[in-house]
Amino acid sequence: MTHHEGNGNKRAMLVCEGTGCVSSRSVYIREELQKELTNHGLADSVEVKPTGCHGFCEKGPIVIVEPDGIFYCNVKEKDAAEIVESHLKGGTPVERLFYKDPATKTLIPKYEDIDFYKKQQRIVLRNCGHINPESIDDYIGVGGYEGLKQVLSGMSPEQVIDEVTKSGLRGRGGAGFPTGRKWAGALKSERTPKYVVCNADEGDPGAFMDRSTLEADPHAVMEGMAICGYAIGSNHGYIYVRAEYPLAINRLKIAIEQAKERGFLGENIMGSGFSFNLEIAQGAGAFVCGEASALMYSIEGKRGMPRVKPPRSVESGLYTMPTVLNNVKSFATVPVIISNGGEWFAGIGSPNSPGTAVFALTGKVVNSGLVEVPMGATLREIIFGIGGGVMGGREFKAVQTGGPSGGCLPADQLDLPVDFDSLDSAGSIMGSGGMVVMDKRTCMVDVARFFLSFTQEESCGKCNPCRIGTELVLEVLERICEGKGKPGDIELLEEWSQTIIKGSLCGLGKSAPNPVLSTIRYFRDEYEAHINEQRCPGGICKELISFSIDEELCKGCGLCAKNCPTKAVILFEKKQPVKLDQEKCINCGTCYDACKFDAVIVK
Amino acid sequence: MSSQLAEILAPFKGKKGVTIPALQQVQEELGYLPREAIDEVSKTLRISASEIYGVITFYAQFRTSPRGRHVVRVCRGTACHVRGGGVVLDQVKIDLGIDENENTEDMEYTLETVACIGACALAPAMVIDEDTFGKVSPGKVSEIFASRRGDN
Ligand SMILES: Cc1cc2nc3c(=O)[nH]c(=O)nc-3n(C[C@H](O)[C@H](O)[C@H](O)COP(=O)(O)O)c2cc1C
Ligand code: SF4
Ligand code: SF4
Ligand code: SF4
Ligand code: FES
Ligand code: FES
């Protein structure tokens, strides 16, 4: 599935205006390009348009020229003149802005030849970076709203649900519940009004797939919701978006207006008699509100505290009415399942987890960004094949999936095929798609402490084991990181973790111990080093480490001195090794990360 | 202030489930939620003030004290944490001379942390008002504030 062109065969320059690229001034680049085109009399023959995130934010700002398929990265405003003059006018693309393969050092002009894209299969992200998210015509131009048309012009609600069930689609919000079965439950219920809710809370701190999907292709999510509305007999939907995503909210507002104008939302859609309206609800900064029942209370304007189940949301959800709640990516997948058929989707990925998985690949990895692969791809293929391996060629230590509810997997799990079930049995979870790569200089006890401080703060406080348990576990982890751990602490952590799991009502508590248990399972030696030897093997825990310079390796380049926040690096003459003033050093490790010669030693 | 409040709250009158959007709108306009605003929301929406306080304390977004002219938000998400976000936060604290959730004495800046700003591929990241800064380091933090001081 490629949708290279915008409208017709007109030449187009696509400027990424996702959050990442905007932070490096892509909006101004677009204005510059437009100006240059006008200057060269090309304004009528070449269209400049903004797109959402291409998923390769690391290399941003990104500009693509279609239909040539040329990919420019790290573009600056001052490059606009050359791109227009040399490429658009003269026909010679600007080589120095091509992507350079880090392994082979060759320049790659077309994005379809770049490993990062070549090895992906994009279904959810199919339009991301290729259409203008603020133009409904762009969406329609790539087959948008065809799924809804098909559904309304001759499928019964049961047939729609059958198709979704046949596809085997499992919810992309983390738990992997079969979407078809959920919808069937809501259709069965006779009480009205029914609601369709899209979960765009994206609470996992370190994940941005849902944000990018909404920013780059909002209509796809809305179309999926309208199809769901028809299938279950609901006329009203809510999109619950976290308030930290202003750009996504803005693009959704524009998209909703456009869809209403064109008659894809509102009353009597395409003359079918079916009506569907959408509203945006903004989250207000509580992780627990990503949980289904808490989210619905939050829309109602209450404190977002999870409730006991049953009843299930499909029987009693928003305002106690039958409600289907799905993740952004689940809804965005639905239109293509309808267009291409459930069987097509079921044939992708692994048998029990059909389709693709979208990951926000981040941390110490060369190619940070959004990655979509068929379920069943291995961690190695994702991290090394697409992600290009660990930054600076350092040693891989672990990968974290599933955010605060997930776990850390070590190098010997790299050949694990990734799907809902395999990750679960390895002690992590799929989650909504965060994937954080960690190198040698990461402390696994610190990682567990980090996640527990998050869940402890975000616990809603309803259940004692969750509220008090996370506090106690955090205390133990903190003392271990400070070198004050005691023999027996590991067992204590394990015991309390079990208590939290057993006594918690919702997924937040039930999965909060995962980061602790998985790091103990795979990195027990690091816990032991902290407790028994007051040593932090990852070189992170400030109380336990000190930095020094390897005089053999130091080239005296001064890069560390430039970056040291406390001016603790003492420079001598050029090419002479530097020294660290231990009095001033605060053990922050900036010099270690800055040094290109591995001359900083951490012990 | 009460006429301004009445104006802000008018669209929410008589609607269900609008406590959070109403509070968000007030905070957007006033910068925080002063006591009288909470009383006004209570009156307009016919919800007890204690229930509204319950909502305000539950959600991290709401503030009951004023903020500085510019808000600095440093990401403390996972991607930023493993790429040195903690050190960046320390540096911001040093440069501004304040702790989290504090204002500088001249009310120029407020320092906050945020769970994730969705720019994880550019970690560590921070936001000043609406501007996102990616791949920041302690050195870059100091540069950013130094150049802002120059600009003003
Ligand atoms: C504490 C907690 C946080 C959650 N956060 C999210 C979230 O941010 N986004 C999401 O889609 N699902 C989240 N979920 C899962 C939802 O409860 C729900 O299972 C999901 O949104 C259903 O959609 P799906 O079937 O399409 O996956 C969270 C669950 C828990 C327990
Ligand atoms: S498990 Fe934790 S977050 Fe979930 S309801 Fe209980 S106290 Fe609240
Ligand atoms: S660890 Fe931090 S404070 Fe110490 S010398 Fe290196 S950069 Fe400076
Ligand atoms: S960055 Fe490395 S090589 Fe350069 S002066 Fe510092 S320690 Fe020496
Ligand atoms: S924001 Fe431009 S590639 Fe992600
Ligand atoms: S983790 Fe910092 S921006 Fe997402």
Side-chain angles (χ1 to χ4, degrees), chain A residues 186-298:
Chain A
L187 173 64
K188 216 167 64 195
S189 182
E190 276 161 17
R191 292 162 58 236
T192 53
K194 298 178 187 178
Y195 294 104
V196 177
V197 179
C198 175
N199 190 343
D201 196 42
E202 193 151 64
D204 173 356
F208 58 106
M209 322 57 59
D210 295 355
R211 167 186 203 148
S212 295
T213 306
L214 288 175
E215 286 178 3
D217 197 13
H219 287 286
V221 180
M222 289 157 46
E223 184 182 357
M225 292 181 75
I227 293 172
C228 174
Y230 174 75
I232 67 164
S234 158
N235 308 112
H236 203 92
Y238 287 90
I239 309 178
Y240 186 88
V241 193
R242 56 193 314 219
E244 288 87 350
Y245 288 0
L247 187 59
I249 292 170
N250 200 28
R251 296 221 166 121
L252 273 172
K253 282 185 184 156
I254 295 171
I256 290 173
E257 278 317 306
Q258 292 177 340
K260 273 200 235 163
E261 244 165 58
R262 297 297 180 89
F264 295 120
L265 283 180
E267 307 308 310
N268 190 17
I269 298 173
M270 296 184 256
S272 64
F274 168 65
S275 304
F276 193 69
N277 285 294
L278 272 180
E279 249 178 86
I280 298 170
Q282 284 190 38
F287 174 63
V288 73
C289 286
E291 193 274 343
S293 62
L295 186 152
M296 293 180 205
Y297 285 131
S298 180

Side-chain angles (χ1 to χ4, degrees), chain A residues 147-178:
Chain A
L148 181 63
K149 238 180 245 173
Q150 200 177 324
V151 161
L152 294 183
S153 63
M155 286 174 85
S156 69
E158 287 81 4
Q159 281 172 321
V160 176
I161 293 178
D162 273 353
E163 210 55 48
V164 175
T165 305
K166 222 189 290 165
S167 77
L169 175 66
R170 295 173 67 175
R172 264 42 180 175
F177 189 84

Side-chain angles (χ1 to χ4, degrees), chain A residues 204-208 211 242 245 362 450, chain B residues 74-81 114-126 132:
Chain A
D204 173 356
F208 58 106
R211 167 186 203 148
R242 56 193 314 219
Y245 288 0
T362 61
F450 167 78
Chain B
V74 180
C75 178
R76 60 178 166 90
T78 322
C80 290
H81 179 77
V114 55
C116 173
I117 50 183
C120 325
L122 300 176
M126 69 179 208
T132 307

Side-chain angles (χ1 to χ4, degrees), chain A residues 20 23 57-58 195 205-208 211 242-244 282-286 288-289 298-305 319 362-364 368 391 436 438 446 449-451 454 457 460 542 563 565 588 590, chain B residues 16-20 24 51 53-55 57-62 73 76-79 81-84 87 90-91 94 114-122 130 132-135 137-140 143:
Chain A
S23 80
C57 324
E58 178 100 47
Y195 294 104
F208 58 106
R211 167 186 203 148
R242 56 193 314 219
E244 288 87 350
Q282 284 190 38
V288 73
C289 286
S298 180
I299 294 180
E300 293 173 20
K302 300 180 182 143
R303 294 162 69 105
M305 289 196 173
Y319 298 112
T362 61
K364 307 268 186 77
S368 272
M391 282 165 89
V436 187
M438 299 168 184
D446 171 71
R449 183 198 57 78
F450 167 78
F451 280 115
F454 181 83
E457 220 170 277
C460 82
K542 285 190 179 178
N563 285 291
C588 71
T590 305
Chain B
K16 68 173 179 177
V18 292
T19 318
I20 294 172
Q24 281 168 332
E51 194 176 318
Y53 274 108
V55 170
T57 50
F58 188 83
Y59 295 101
Q61 194 194 12
F62 296 123
R73 292 183 300 154
R76 60 178 166 90
T78 322
H81 179 77
V82 305
R83 280 211 210 163
V87 192
D90 289 344
Q91 189 62 34
I94 294 170
V114 55
C116 173
I117 50 183
C120 325
L122 300 176
E130 308 275 292
T132 307
F133 297 85
K135 298 192 184 171
S137 60
K140 208 163 151 194
E143 266 170 41

Side-chain angles (χ1 to χ4, degrees), chain B residues 1 4-5 8 22-38 41 53 56 61-68 71 103 107 110 112:
Chain B
M1 181 183 278
Q4 188 191 356
L5 277 170
I8 299 170
L23 291 169
Q24 281 168 332
Q25 195 56 42
V26 174
Q27 182 163 294
E28 168 91 25
E29 306 262 342
L30 305 182
Y32 72 111
L33 299 168
R35 218 211 125 89
E36 37 183 315
I38 294 166
V41 173
Y53 274 108
I56 291 173
Q61 194 194 12
F62 296 123
R63 300 173 297 270
T64 51
S65 55
R67 296 202 293 179
V71 181
N103 305 323
M107 288 303 272
T110 300
E112 294 179 352

Side-chain angles (χ1 to χ4, degrees), chain A residues 32 127 222 283 407 539:
Chain A
E32 261 329 285
N127 298 326
M222 289 157 46

Side-chain angles (χ1 to χ4, degrees), chain A residues 288 306 458-463 466-467 504-510:
Chain A
V288 73
E458 297 294 338
S459 163
C460 82
K462 188 167 178 169
C463 332
C466 172
R467 180 169 52 91
S504 289
L505 175 63
C506 85
L508 190 152
K510 279 190 195 307

